[in-house]
Amino acid sequence: MSTPRPTFRPDSARLDAARRTQDLAALRGGQAHVDLVVIGAGVTGAGVALDAATRGLDVLIVDAHDIAFGTSRWSSKLAHGGLRYLATGNVGIARRSALERGILMGTTAPHLTHAVTQVVPVQDRYTRGQKTAPRVGFIAGDALRIAARTPSTTLPPSRTISRHRVAELCPAVDTSDLRFGYVNHDGQLIDDARLVTALVRTAAGYGARVVTHCRAVEAHGRTVVLQDGLDADSSPVTVTAGAVVNATGVWAGHLDPQVTVRPSRGTHLVIDAAAVGNPTGALTVPVPGHSSRFCFILPEQLGRCYVGITDEDLGTETIPDVPDVPDSDVQWILDVVNQALAVDLTTDDVLGAFAGLRPLVQFNDRGEGGPSSTADLSREHVILTGEGEDANLITVTGGKLTEYRLMAEQTVDLVAEKLRATGSAPGPCLTTSIPLVGAPGAPGVEEVRSSDLAGLPDSMIARFGHEAPAVLRTCPVDRPLEPVAPGIDTVRAEFAWHVTHEGALTVEDLIDRRSRIGLVDADRETCLATAQEILDTVR
């Protein structure tokens, strides 16, 4: 029997505490069988949930913490076209990245993405290779963009620019030996955690159940045991499923002994954009001794710049929920970017720092006495099926944020194969043509005219797209357009919407993930009282 295609229901895309309570109660009350349980609400798990729900499957997605709690909120906030992979000869990843970037920017989330101008200054201090390699790479990137059919109106072609234009885009650059510059355009997210939140809510609109702060303490065979993280005294909930997807990223080995994830730590610094002249371009600085590795100063929301990135082996002994940033990472990044600057950034300029753990994968023994198969520790993703009684446990990990949709499609294709063996008939993948909530043309979203956006803060429109008018219109707290703290371009209505529609259950959910205010400790402190007030009022 063919599985019926679902319709999008706007009310179902509204996630709040009451919805979570209802979903948990339904699971306890006898509705504890679903087609698919997805463990992990990062970008990969969220993509899997959306793909499966739009194929007509009954989906439950759970996370021990919150939407985008782990690696998915610690990225560079870029939708890369794969240039660095061309430099290492990995044409496959580069081509896939360019294709997926085009889908993300053109259909899935055009409201959360935009072109960022990457600027490489050509200065006498660099080697010949460092001066020429970026231009060659940018030309290859143009070819990837054209092959992916991404229009130049979305991502303009690369070009050479004058030293004057370099200084306009990146005012802090050292012009003493600056000759000219190269520019390229890549995709940039307003925020990675906002993308994941939109994915989860869109999946919910198509019928997926979403339960955060709920840990999967066991996953064997077709059975998952869940423990409510907000009620330590509650009894576990046992859910059976046609298939289970382990999308826990760097923690995948905790549920699947086939694989060991060896995390690589990527550290970013947070600085005041004014410290580097409020750049509008992303300054790209070669790492000494490398021809294809760079550090970036990226203009971001909230008047900040993110500066990074490191690539340090963390090992496999202990994988923390929130990685620490060592002083050595901070100094290394500053030393690299200061090469190209007229100003000298110091640790006093660092307002905050964060580190994400890239899941680089190696395989463990499969079968008694069998040889070990070790994957090249690259950015390739892997999808593994369990063995024996765990044959319906599917692990997806590795890869990169830009390819989340493809990873999800391939994973759900495998889920569909297993479900067809039981008589179910999931449909084909539809996610190349489905806009997320807030995007132009998204299902269930009322038509928004320019007049509807008049008077709304630009920052709110950037973060919520076509849902911005509803953020204000449905706000249940007073002074909706008042900033949550002086000097912060987030308003009270946004905090309220995070609680009423985006599943924020704690102050940390509000400040550290739905908004990114918490990346700077001082800003975080100024917003705590308002966050608690709005959370209490709305609940």
Side-chain angles (χ1 to χ4, degrees):
M1 177 183 295
S2 177
T3 302
R5 302 282 77 76
T7 56
F8 183 88
R9 301 182 183 279
D11 286 348
S12 296
R14 177 173 177 166
L15 303 179
D16 60 11
R19 167 80 174 274
R20 178 184 182 276
T21 299
Q22 291 167 2
D23 284 343
L24 269 177
L27 294 174
R28 292 184 188 279
Q31 299 178 29
H33 180 82
V34 296
D35 294 324
L36 176 65
V37 174
V38 181
I39 304 171
V43 71
T44 305
V48 169
L50 175 59
D51 190 301
T54 54
R55 297 195 199 200
L57 299 182
D58 183 13
V59 178
L60 169 67
I61 180 169
V62 299
D63 196 282
H65 300 287
D66 183 29
I67 297 168
F69 178 85
T71 304
S72 294
R73 64 171 160 145
W74 301 129
S75 77
S76 298
K77 294 41 168 153
L78 293 175
H80 278 301
L83 276 182
R84 67 171 296 185
Y85 306 109
L86 279 181
T88 57
N90 200 325
V91 178
I93 292 184
R95 182 176 178 276
R96 294 196 307 264
S97 296
L99 286 169
E100 293 301 318
R101 177 187 62 185
I103 295 169
L104 181 63
M105 297 185 72
T107 300
T108 308
H111 63 307
L112 295 177
T113 55
H114 61 269
V116 62
T117 303
Q118 296 178 312
V119 182
V120 179
V122 177
Q123 295 165 298
D124 289 341
R125 68 196 69 181
Y126 295 131
T127 67
R128 182 184 297 272
Q130 289 175 326
K131 293 175 183 177
T132 58
R135 186 67 184 115
V136 174
F138 288 171
I139 292 171
D142 288 338
L144 284 174
R145 176 188 61 78
I146 293 169
R149 299 183 178 180
T150 303
S152 58
T153 51
T154 299
L155 290 173
S158 65
R159 66 187 190 278
T160 300
I161 60 173
S162 68
R163 67 193 300 270
H164 176 70
R165 182 59 179 153
V166 171
E168 285 183 335
L169 292 167
C170 302
V173 73
D174 185 356
T175 59
S176 63
D177 63 343
L178 177 65
R179 298 296 180 177
F180 53 89
Y182 307 127
V183 298
N184 178 61
H185 294 87
D186 213 340
Q188 185 175 31
L189 294 163
I190 183 68
D191 185 68
D192 44 9
R194 293 222 53 73
L195 172 66
V196 182
T197 300
L199 282 165
V200 170
R201 289 185 56 226
T202 307
Y206 282 104
R209 282 178 274 185
V210 181
V211 182
T212 58
H213 297 277
C214 187
R215 183 178 296 275
V217 293
E218 293 182 35
H220 295 294
R222 300 184 181 185
T223 300
V224 178
V225 179
L226 305 174
Q227 180 62 56
D228 186 352
L230 299 181
D231 184 359
D233 295 328
S234 64
S235 58
V237 180
T238 299
V239 180
T240 60
V244 178
V245 168
N246 170 18
T248 55
V250 291
W251 300 278
H254 294 175
L255 292 175
D256 188 345
Q258 295 181 89
V259 64
T260 294
V261 176
R262 192 174 191 91
S264 167
R265 185 180 64 241
T267 294
H268 293 82
L269 313 181
V270 184
I271 65 173
D272 189 334
V276 284
N278 294 302
T280 55
L283 184 66
T284 306
V285 183
V287 173
H290 296 264
S291 61
S292 62
R293 189 176 170 199
F294 302 88
C295 279
F296 305 91
I297 299 179
L298 296 161
E300 297 286 346
Q301 61 169 325
L302 298 171
R304 301 169 178 170
C305 284
Y306 299 157
V307 189
I309 182 174
T310 63
D311 193 351
E312 297 295 327
D313 185 357
L314 189 69
T316 60
E317 295 301 317
T318 301
I319 302 177
D321 284 346
V322 179
D324 292 327
V325 174
D327 292 340
S328 57
D329 279 14
V330 175
Q331 193 58 54
W332 183 86
I333 292 171
L334 292 175
D335 289 343
V336 172
V337 297
N338 277 335
Q339 298 175 88
L341 300 180
V343 298
D344 187 31
L345 294 177
T346 71
T347 54
D348 290 339
D349 294 300
V350 178
L351 305 178
F354 60 91
L357 301 180
R358 307 178 186 93
L360 308 182
V361 184
Q362 64 188 47
F363 300 113
N364 296 329
D365 277 351
R366 299 191 66 179
E368 185 176 350
S372 292
S373 173
T374 303
D376 177 29
L377 298 184
S378 71
R379 271 55 177 175
E380 291 279 6
H381 62 272
V382 295
I383 303 171
L384 303 172
T385 57
E387 297 179 334
E389 66 175 9
D390 288 330
N392 283 52
L393 173 65
I394 300 167
T395 294
V396 53
T397 190
K400 51 202 290 289
L401 182 146
T402 311
E403 291 189 33
Y404 84 88
R405 193 212 62 80
L406 177 64
M407 294 165 62
E409 177 182 352
Q410 294 174 346
T411 301
V412 181
D413 282 347
L414 190 54
V415 169
E417 287 181 16
K418 294 184 177 297
L419 294 182
R420 288 189 189 105
T422 66
S424 180
C429 176
L430 303 175
T431 53
T432 58
S433 59
I434 293 179
L436 303 184
V437 290
V445 177
E446 61 191 62
E447 183 179 352
V448 175
R449 300 178 298 273
S450 57
S451 59
D452 297 322
L453 301 175
L456 296 179
D458 290 343
S459 56
M460 179 192 287
I461 297 170
R463 290 190 279 262
F464 296 92
H466 281 202
E467 287 192 311
V471 173
L472 181 60
R473 186 179 63 251
T474 64
C475 181
V477 301
D478 59 2
R479 310 187 309 282
L481 289 178
E482 180 181 296
V484 295
I488 302 293
D489 72 356
T490 299
V491 298
R492 290 166 58 85
E494 295 179 57
F495 271 16
W497 180 269
H498 297 326
V499 179
T500 61
H501 287 74
E502 295 184 347
L505 302 174
T506 69
V507 167
E508 291 76 18
D509 293 350
L510 273 176
I511 294 179
D512 297 331
R513 289 170 289 278
R514 300 304 181 277
S515 70
R516 305 315 295 276
I517 296 168
L519 290 176
V520 175
D521 288 342
D523 291 345
R524 192 178 196 281
E525 288 298 317
T526 65
C527 296
L528 283 175
T530 300
Q532 189 65 61
E533 173 217 330
I534 290 176
L535 194 64
D536 293 342
T537 300
V538 174
R539 289 192 303 192

